[in-house]
Amino acid sequence: MGGSALVEGDTDHVNVVVRLRPLSDAERQRGDLECVHADGDRKTVRWIAPSANRSSASATSAPPSVRSLTFDAALVGSNQADVLHATNTPALLNDALRGMHVTIFAYGQTGSGKTYTMSGPESLGAGHSRAPHDAGPEGLIPRALAALFDDPMLHQRVAVSASYLEIYNEQLNDLLNPSSTNMQLRWLAKSGCFVQDLVHGRLRIRLPDHPARARRVRGGGHPDRPRDRASRL
């Protein structure tokens, strides 16, 4: 899962937000039950842990223990706007516009909802956008872009470019140029680490419909290939 922030207050450098995915339709039909719950403080997550020693005779009579972890925020349900606020994305965007390096990434096992949280459902088409705080299925990336261009700093003449890099099965792939796969990570003393030949597109280059679709096109007609260990930057 991860840990809580190391520093309290406005000087935090790392914030950890945990999101509890609701049961899917298939899981409900199977009779699965939710085993992890968030407290009303929207920070504490609790779950029932089985006895540590199941092989002993006393383990059958020992009651299970309730364990907990506290994070900077704990989200329940499918509300995508909550993710924008809990991660404090607008403030991070302001920091980025002022020259600071910021990062938001989703971590979890396959099927935990990383792609949905970051991009939204695959049914969303290209160019589908909404105000950053509105209700809707859009993920954190399109909401962050909407919030970025709402910033007063961009009401002046500025140049904005973006890259869309995927780390998939320990390979680097350019989602703005699907023919560029297995790219090379380089390092220079003056600029640090970079991906060789990664496209940095101006606004006239439109992001792909959805990360999963981009992988299908590049995968040579194999839409069912495994999707684990994929990250998009």
Side-chain angles (χ1 to χ4, degrees):
M1 277 188 177
S4 59
L6 299 178
V7 184
E8 296 294 334
D10 295 336
T11 59
D12 288 357
H13 296 291
V14 177
N15 288 324
V16 179
V17 178
V18 63
R19 190 178 195 187
L20 307 184
R21 177 179 66 79
L23 294 176
S24 66
D25 292 339
E27 290 166 339
R28 294 182 186 279
Q29 294 175 2
R30 197 168 56 215
D32 293 350
L33 299 176
E34 294 181 348
C35 60
V36 182
H37 305 274
D39 284 1
D41 63 358
R42 296 172 61 89
K43 291 185 176 182
T44 304
V45 174
R46 300 184 185 275
W47 72 97
I48 298 177
S51 301
N53 186 6
R54 292 187 175 185
S55 60
S56 66
S58 61
T60 57
S61 59
S65 61
V66 178
R67 300 190 180 182
S68 66
L69 285 173
T70 300
F71 300 87
D72 293 288
L75 304 180
V76 179
S78 57
N79 190 314
Q80 296 282 63
D82 284 350
V83 180
L84 185 81
H85 301 300
T87 55
N88 206 16
T89 296
L92 292 176
L93 291 173
N94 288 333
D95 290 340
L97 289 174
R98 289 163 176 80
M100 300 180 67
H101 292 287
V102 300
T103 300
I104 301 176
F105 70 93
Y107 176 83
Q109 68 184 50
T110 300
S112 60
K114 301 184 298 298
T115 299
Y116 182 86
T117 295
M118 298 301 291
S119 303
E122 190 178 341
S123 58
L124 292 179
H128 193 280
S129 61
R130 188 186 298 265
H133 308 285
D134 287 356
E138 292 80 9
L140 188 59
I141 292 175
R143 289 177 184 273
L145 290 173
L148 175 65
F149 289 100
D150 282 346
D151 193 289
M153 289 188 65
L154 290 187
H155 293 172
Q156 48 192 309
R157 187 176 181 85
V158 296
V160 179
S161 64
S163 58
Y164 205 21
L165 173 69
E166 175 189 65
I167 305 173
Y168 184 84
N169 283 344
E170 301 180 0
Q171 292 187 357
L172 302 176
N173 305 312
D174 189 346
L175 293 182
L176 293 183
N177 182 17
S179 62
S180 295
T181 61
N182 198 18
M183 305 175 72
Q184 300 300 310
L185 183 65
R186 306 294 188 189
W187 184 85
L188 292 176
K190 292 184 178 180
S191 57
C193 292
F194 67 98
V195 177
Q196 184 175 340
D197 299 326
L198 179 66
V199 170
H200 287 78
R202 292 292 180 94
L203 294 181
R204 60 179 176 269
I205 297 181
R206 189 171 62 180
L207 293 177
D209 288 7
H210 193 275
R213 288 200 186 100
R215 280 199 298 277
R216 283 198 189 91
V217 172
R218 195 178 57 248
H222 299 284
D224 298 324
R225 75 180 195 172
R227 295 173 56 181
D228 25 342
R229 294 201 296 169
S231 301
R232 284 156 296 278
L233 306 176

